[in-house]
Amino acid sequence: MIKFNNISSEEPYLIFQDWYQAAVNAGQLRVQAIAISSYNPKTELVDSRFVNLKYIEHDRWVFFSNYNGPKAKAFETNKTISALFYWNATDAQIRMRAHIEKLPAEESDAYFKARDPEKNALAISSAQSQEIKSYEEVVKNYQAVLEKGDTSVRPEYWGGFQFTPYYIEFWSGDRNRLNKRQVFTKKQGSWKSKFLQP
């Protein structure tokens, strides 16, 4: 689930909140899953991956990850991303383009301290995306951290990212493919709306 904290009253945010609630009411699984795509100019690779969006605070969209992983490296070299929700329960797609940066350390600290020890143990024990001999070794490393007891202190290599969209497209499917597409683009501090053909 996504938490809404003092969410912006601007129109695309209100539409998002309505569409999100409709998806929840329709029984959408993993409603918080969002695909994040990034480009790394050093490797010339485009990557997409799903993350769990944790909360939206005013106009900031927040998720957490390992700062040493490939996506964090991509964010360092190119601070523009695309993001995508698809909720099959309501046949709704929401596309975004946004600027991304690290969350302030104190906010990451507070979030980490409030999490379950089991989740924190994995964040501490895993060198995300690095090669390892076997899955059994992953489990062994995880259990070793969990057994030490104190999992409340956030490691420096883990924390939040926040992104602020400047483009949001709401796509609503139709069985005859008369899909509705409404786009909001933010320019000079205000949102402009238009419709696109299917």
Side-chain angles (χ1 to χ4, degrees):
M1 302 292 284
I2 301 170
K3 292 184 179 179
F4 296 88
N5 302 329
N6 190 31
I7 190 170
S8 171
S9 60
E10 295 171 312
E11 187 177 3
Y13 285 82
L14 298 180
I15 293 174
F16 177 84
Q17 202 165 13
D18 287 344
W19 281 33
Y20 172 83
Q21 192 58 56
V24 170
N25 293 345
Q28 177 66 49
L29 298 176
R30 298 180 180 85
V31 70
Q32 75 282 3
I34 182 170
I36 301 291
S37 298
S38 60
Y39 173 68
N40 187 330
K42 290 183 178 179
T43 61
E44 296 187 338
L45 293 175
V46 176
D47 269 320
S48 297
R49 77 289 284 166
F50 279 97
V51 301
N52 289 324
L53 190 75
K54 294 300 184 180
Y55 57 87
I56 305 170
E57 184 159 344
H58 191 58
D59 63 350
R60 301 180 307 135
W61 306 60
V62 178
F63 66 92
F64 294 83
S65 188
N66 189 302
Y67 285 153
N68 292 332
K71 60 180 169 292
K73 300 297 183 186
F75 301 155
E76 287 176 3
T77 54
N78 181 25
K79 297 186 181 299
T80 300
I81 63 165
S82 66
L84 175 68
F85 286 101
Y86 177 67
W87 296 322
N88 66 294
T90 52
D91 199 13
Q93 175 179 262
I94 302 169
R95 299 172 59 201
M96 289 178 271
R97 297 176 188 140
H99 300 298
I100 193 165
E101 61 184 351
K102 284 183 179 178
L103 199 67
E106 59 273 16
E107 201 168 335
S108 289
D109 288 340
Y111 183 82
F112 195 82
K113 192 176 289 289
R115 295 204 325 163
D116 294 335
E118 291 80 8
K119 291 180 180 179
N120 285 354
L122 181 60
I124 293 168
S125 68
S126 175
Q128 190 180 71
S129 298
Q130 296 301 307
E131 187 175 336
I132 197 165
K133 291 180 180 178
S134 67
Y135 178 71
E136 287 71 24
E137 193 169 341
V138 172
V139 175
K140 181 181 177 182
N141 293 344
Y142 165 77
Q143 290 176 338
V145 171
L146 193 58
E147 288 169 6
K148 286 182 180 178
D150 186 9
T151 56
S152 63
V153 179
R154 178 183 68 89
E156 290 185 2
Y157 52 81
W158 189 96
F161 289 98
Q162 59 186 15
F163 64 87
T164 306
Y166 58 85
Y167 175 98
I168 303 178
E169 178 187 329
F170 295 93
W171 178 98
S172 181
D174 177 88
R175 67 179 182 176
N176 295 320
R177 299 195 178 178
L178 293 170
N179 306 320
K180 182 179 178 182
R181 298 175 66 189
Q182 185 175 12
V183 170
F184 291 86
T185 306
K186 194 168 192 177
K187 294 182 178 179
Q188 297 178 336
S190 62
W191 290 97
K192 304 296 182 184
S193 175
K194 61 186 176 184
F195 288 90
L196 302 179
Q197 296 189 56

